[in-house]
Amino acid sequence: MAKMLGAPRAARLTELAARRRGDGSRGLRARRAWRQLVRACAAGDPAALEAVRAAARDLPEPDVLDLLVVGPQEPADRAAYLTLLGQREQRQAMDPDGALLALAYRAAEPDVRERLCTAMAAEGEADVIRVVVTGDRRDRIAEMSDDELDYLGHELPDHRRWDELRRLAARALEDRFGGDIALGTDPVSPGGPHDIALGAGGTE
């Protein structure tokens, strides 16, 4: 796992990367600083993402493109990544109703959820916060597509969220087949398979 930058280092790199020569280009130190920031953002470094978000309005288009190129390709993860970067317009273009972001939020660790809420609040996205945090319009499993269910089936075990995975599976089965489904309370073995397909066409 790559070493995290930490807030002071991320702030210093952001300051260095913002320096421009007379022609608008970056010098050697500024280019190195920016490359470090981009790599750290791609790795999900919280301090780097926060530092870049704070400077989001001042980023020129080439810098935004650099960040987009290294971002995750899975739609829900990408929506979260764009939110943490402060790229509101980019996120809205791919996820206008906040459904993808809600999916990522549900699968995320508590600290990532907190950072997502902070980023959304800073942008004044009250409607999106309601959708993401309360599950409004996406709370019923029956409304989720097979791809969305499979995404949660893969992500929740990766974060060892066994109780939530069990509830998700029970609700998915109930919505698909009707009736009350009991999946038991035995812990899921960490050594077992971590990909559980919950979609109609998936197999466990």
Side-chain angles (χ1 to χ4, degrees):
M1 182 178 178
K3 183 179 179 181
M4 299 290 102
L5 293 179
R9 177 62 176 162
R12 176 59 175 161
L13 289 173
T14 304
E15 179 185 342
L16 287 172
R19 295 178 180 176
R20 302 280 176 165
R21 295 184 292 202
D23 62 359
S25 64
R26 286 190 173 101
L28 180 60
R29 292 186 67 193
R31 290 199 303 271
R32 286 177 176 171
W34 178 243
R35 286 197 296 268
Q36 282 186 261
L37 277 174
V38 171
R39 287 196 298 268
C41 287
D45 187 311
L49 288 164
E50 177 59 24
V52 171
R53 184 177 71 82
R57 288 179 173 80
D58 298 323
L59 291 178
E61 186 175 350
D63 287 359
V64 174
L65 292 176
D66 287 343
L67 294 165
L68 296 180
V69 167
V70 300
Q73 297 305 306
E74 202 290 323
D77 291 339
R78 192 168 182 84
Y81 174 76
L82 292 173
T83 300
L84 293 173
L85 282 175
Q87 295 299 316
R88 181 181 182 180
E89 291 183 2
Q90 297 281 350
R91 201 275 305 160
Q92 287 179 329
M94 70 170 295
D95 184 29
D97 64 354
L100 292 172
L101 189 54
L103 198 62
Y105 181 90
R106 183 166 187 171
E109 296 282 6
D111 64 310
V112 177
R113 289 185 176 189
E114 183 177 350
R115 289 192 288 120
L116 284 170
C117 286
T118 298
M120 287 185 289
E123 295 291 343
E125 297 194 275
D127 290 342
V128 176
I129 291 176
R130 186 184 71 251
V131 172
V132 170
V133 178
T134 69
D136 184 23
R137 289 186 290 166
R138 304 296 297 176
D139 190 52
R140 287 184 2 210
I141 297 297
E143 294 179 358
M144 290 187 179
S145 69
D146 290 345
D147 286 343
E148 289 172 331
L149 288 170
D150 285 344
Y151 171 81
L152 289 177
H154 299 157
E155 291 294 314
L156 292 176
D158 284 347
H159 297 307
R160 305 176 69 84
R161 304 270 289 283
W162 310 120
D163 289 343
E164 188 164 353
L165 177 66
R166 188 178 288 110
R167 287 194 296 270
L168 176 70
R171 291 179 62 189
L173 290 171
E174 181 179 352
D175 282 340
R176 301 285 183 178
F177 303 110
D180 294 329
I181 307 294
L183 295 184
T185 58
D186 292 337
V188 181
S189 171
H194 282 192
D195 285 353
I196 300 178
L198 298 174
T203 58
E204 184 174 340

